[in-house]
Amino acid sequence: MSTPIARRSWRSALAIYLRAPVITMLFLGFSAGLPFLLVFSTLSAWLRSDGVEVAAIGFFSWIGILYSIKFFWAPIVDRLALPVLTRRFGQRRGWMLLAQAMIAAGLIGLASLDPNQNLMLVAAFALLVAFGSATQDIAIDAFRIESAPDDIQAAMASTYIIGYRGGLLAAGAGALYVASWISWEAAYLTMAALVGIGVITVLIRPEPERLSLTTQLIHEPRVRAFIRASRGQPRHLRRLGAWLIGAVVCPFTDFLSRHRLKALWLLVFVAVFRISDLAMASMANPLYIDLGFSLATIANVTNVFGIAMSISGGILGGLLVARYGIGPILVLGAAAATLTNLLFAALALAGQSLPMLVMAIVGDNLANGLASAVFIAFLSSLTSRAYTATQYALFSSLMTLPGKFLSGFGGLVVAAEGYATFFVIATALGLPAIALAIWISRDQELVPRPSAPAA
């Protein structure tokens, strides 16, 4: 017989959003979202407006690969102590400050260049910004998970989403406005100044409590076994080997040993949870254009309704998880994110219908905001506090790669079968995620419950 779920009152659930760790993620989310567009669409707009060839601009999209392979250097962010910064600010805050310094330096460097004369340097500084941004993401995710218990992770995720959207708006519309009023140099210098929001947040908030690296290594059986087996070897080689085992090997073996036979299915679930909406994303804008909607209409609807619904969905997801727990809301999020793709199939069949366009945008963004909040909370609950940066970086990379890969074939499916069939296929891709979410929601070892009883 299963244990009854302790539920929070609605007042208690809402009060979570007033906690300092939750509010902190609003500003760190802004800091994470700010650099993203500055090396993608905003940078592309600058390059094209200055006369750079479209073919050359296309290669800049490869910079985004850094975000998908950040798990390669996540063990370093997780375990390597930085000179001065780690001792003064702690492991997480030290790495965030270093990453923010890289972002600011890259943006200032970009502001100082003429793209037509220094395109290779533009690429180099853009890479620096992207690397700093991906590194900051690793550190922020670890900081978030270690700063609060599992039952408020969804609320932290929802405020993070709000802040992230704010960063995207600043780097997108904000940078374009400054560039049109003054210059591109002023736009990128302004964005560099806004990095200070994240810096101030890091300086104000305390470092999460965690065991020291030495203590963590001592408690690792694999590290102890290596140290015993390597007696007689040079000391520096033994220390390097112990560090590599603790930083690279143990995060993966820890996950496998904790979940055993369930580990593979959990990884499959992580890979397929977002596959439906990511696979269809590449064909959404082409659908709007082919139906005859103007660019202004698309921009207005996606910005006004899309952003508002995404933020609302994130807040709703955090609130529902706080009251009912991760399990049932994980099923709701998987179902909503998958089934709302049918709205795009309906739009394709309806033709140029503004109400249908609004309905599709509202439904899709509300569902994805809710699903993102609960899924971030779920991934956080899977992550060991001893290996937060490495394990979460692996999960977040695995979450996006399959969908992004399949998204590349979207145009072929549309050309052969049409938009409506494509979006129905995208919906079908999400059905395994719903089934796995139902299975996970019934496993009390995998889904944490709210800790406070109803008032």
Side-chain angles (χ1 to χ4, degrees):
M1 184 176 180
S2 61
T3 305
I5 300 174
R7 293 180 179 174
R8 297 180 183 271
S9 66
W10 287 109
R11 177 180 295 181
S12 176
L14 283 168
I16 285 178
Y17 284 94
L18 299 178
R19 295 191 186 185
V22 177
I23 296 173
T24 297
M25 296 314 301
L26 184 68
F27 299 99
L28 291 182
F30 179 90
S31 185
L34 183 70
F36 188 77
L37 294 184
L38 297 176
V39 293
F40 290 108
S41 61
T42 301
L43 180 60
S44 297
W46 178 15
L47 297 179
R48 189 58 185 148
S49 66
D50 276 21
V52 176
E53 292 295 328
V54 174
I57 295 174
F59 290 118
F60 277 78
S61 65
W62 287 349
I63 293 172
I65 294 174
L66 283 173
Y67 290 90
S68 296
I69 61 172
K70 60 186 178 183
F71 61 87
F72 281 116
W73 68 92
I76 296 175
V77 178
D78 211 358
R79 294 303 187 95
L80 181 65
L82 295 169
V84 182
L85 287 175
T86 297
R87 184 173 65 253
R88 176 67 179 84
F89 300 102
Q91 183 75 5
R92 304 309 180 204
R93 294 198 303 157
W95 272 99
M96 278 192 276
L97 289 172
L98 176 62
Q100 288 160 352
M102 287 191 283
I103 294 168
L107 294 176
I108 293 171
L110 285 170
S112 67
L113 297 173
D114 177 353
N116 283 298
Q117 301 297 324
N118 303 281
L119 195 58
M120 292 303 295
L121 276 177
V122 169
F125 279 120
L127 281 170
L128 177 62
V129 173
F131 181 76
S133 176
T135 301
Q136 180 184 229
D137 289 348
I138 296 170
I140 288 177
D141 286 332
F143 180 90
R144 172 180 52 78
I145 294 169
E146 294 168 359
S147 293
D150 291 338
D151 62 344
I152 68 169
Q153 287 292 328
M156 296 175 74
S158 67
T159 54
Y160 176 86
I161 291 169
I162 295 171
Y164 196 92
R165 287 286 187 174
L168 294 179
L169 279 175
L176 292 176
Y177 280 132
V178 175
S180 64
W181 293 335
I182 308 175
S183 67
W184 282 106
E185 177 184 1
Y188 271 76
L189 288 176
T190 301
M191 297 301 110
L194 289 179
V195 175
I197 292 175
V199 173
I200 293 172
T201 304
V202 171
L203 294 176
I204 291 175
R205 294 297 298 155
E207 176 79 0
E209 293 184 7
R210 64 196 301 265
L211 296 175
S212 67
L213 175 58
T214 302
T215 303
Q216 292 181 49
L217 290 178
I218 289 174
H219 283 85
E220 275 294 349
R222 288 177 177 80
V223 174
R224 295 201 302 269
F226 171 79
I227 292 175
R228 288 194 299 269
S230 61
R231 286 173 182 167
Q233 298 296 321
R235 184 178 179 183
H236 68 280
L237 290 179
R238 296 180 73 200
R239 293 183 64 180
L240 177 62
W243 186 89
L244 287 173
I245 291 172
V248 180
V249 177
C250 289
F252 300 100
T253 57
D254 166 80
F255 177 76
L256 295 174
S257 63
R258 282 190 293 117
H259 298 292
R260 300 184 182 277
L261 295 177
K262 298 176 184 177
L264 176 60
W265 288 110
L266 286 171
L267 292 176
V268 171
F269 178 62
V270 172
V272 302
F273 186 83
R274 295 289 307 278
I275 197 169
S276 179
D277 57 289
L278 288 176
M280 58 76 68
S282 64
M283 290 295 105
N285 279 333
L287 169 66
Y288 308 149
I289 292 171
D290 286 349
L291 289 178
F293 293 107
S294 68
L295 293 178
T297 299
I298 296 169
N300 290 334
V301 173
T302 55
N303 277 304
V304 174
F305 292 101
I307 292 175
M309 288 301 104
S310 180
I311 290 173
S312 299
I315 294 174
L316 179 61
L319 185 62
L320 291 175
V321 169
R323 180 163 171 80
Y324 298 108
I326 290 178
I329 313 307
L330 193 65
V331 177
L332 175 63
T338 297
L339 298 178
T340 48
N341 287 327
L342 293 175
L343 293 173
F344 291 91
L347 174 62
L349 295 174
Q352 191 179 2
S353 169
L354 184 59
M356 194 65 225
L357 173 65
V358 172
M359 187 181 300
I361 294 296
V362 167
D364 181 60
N365 283 275
L366 184 65
N368 285 330
L370 186 152
S372 295
V374 66
F375 197 54
I376 290 173
F378 175 68
L379 293 184
S380 301
S381 71
L382 291 182
T383 303
S384 170
R385 297 299 172 104
Y387 312 105
T388 44
T390 303
Q391 289 185 353
Y392 195 88
L394 173 64
F395 293 150
S396 60
S397 296
L398 181 61
M399 174 181 68
T400 58
L401 281 176
K404 286 183 177 179
F405 174 75
L406 290 177
S407 181
F409 299 100
L412 297 177
V413 178
V414 169
E417 304 293 339
Y419 282 109
T421 300
F422 167 76
F423 288 110
V424 171
I425 293 173
T427 301
L429 289 175
L431 297 179
I434 299 175
L436 287 170
I438 294 172
W439 165 66
I440 289 170
S441 71
R442 295 174 177 173
D443 191 326
Q444 296 185 22
E445 294 181 356
L446 295 177
V447 287
R449 310 303 193 199
S451 58

